[in-house]
Amino acid sequence: MSSLAEQIAEVVRVALHNTIPAVGTRVYRARQDAIDRTECPAIVIESGNENTDNAEADGEVEANVLSLSVAIHVAPGTGTVWETAADELVVAAHALIRAATYPGMSGPPLRQGRTWEGASGDGSPGICVLTYRFDYWNNATDLSTSA
């Protein structure tokens, strides 16, 4: 079985996959290949940092903070501001991410902000990245088991 961190990332992927009509099934987990304009809009979910501390004096339970990014790639048509097109998808994705049920006694994640990366002259899509914080607990001896 995969770790709770990977399970959380998969919950986010499933929550977004084929649930936002404009994006459809173009939701990827840790995709490293560039997304071109013909694939837009698309969403890429990637794990960031994970910090761990003992949650109990006996060291049997670990408290974790996982950072997860949700990158929304857009290539709007003529006359459309790419940030506006991305923002519509951000609103839909955020509602789905907050409504999902996560393992490890993790409640809805805390959004830690977003960044925008404008499209360059080479025709690359614009990217709006949402960053989330997930707090969860696992058995110290098993990264796949909630504590």
Side-chain angles (χ1 to χ4, degrees), residues 27-144:
V27 176
Y28 307 101
R29 179 71 188 93
R31 176 175 165 161
Q32 297 301 304
D33 295 330
I35 291 180
D36 67 37
R37 295 176 71 82
T38 63
E39 297 176 283
C40 289
I43 297 175
V44 177
I45 300 151
E46 292 184 332
S47 299
N49 294 330
E50 179 183 53
N51 296 309
T52 304
D53 286 315
N54 285 330
E56 295 180 348
D58 63 7
E60 293 298 317
V61 176
E62 294 177 337
N64 303 280
V65 176
L66 172 68
S67 174
L68 194 76
S69 67
V70 177
I72 298 173
H73 299 250
V74 295
T78 305
T80 304
V81 175
W82 80 267
E83 289 178 349
T84 302
D87 192 64
E88 292 174 8
L89 299 174
V90 162
V91 170
H94 178 70
L96 292 165
I97 291 167
R98 291 279 302 170
T101 301
Y102 297 96
M105 299 186 320
S106 180
L110 172 65
R111 187 173 68 87
Q112 295 191 293
R114 72 176 133 167
T115 59
W116 293 265
E117 184 180 323
S120 65
D122 67 1
S124 298
I127 306 168
C128 181
V129 180
L130 294 161
T131 304
Y132 289 95
R133 171 190 167 141
F134 291 84
D135 295 303
Y136 70 95
W137 295 262
N138 63 270
N139 280 322
T141 58
D142 186 354
L143 296 177
S144 67

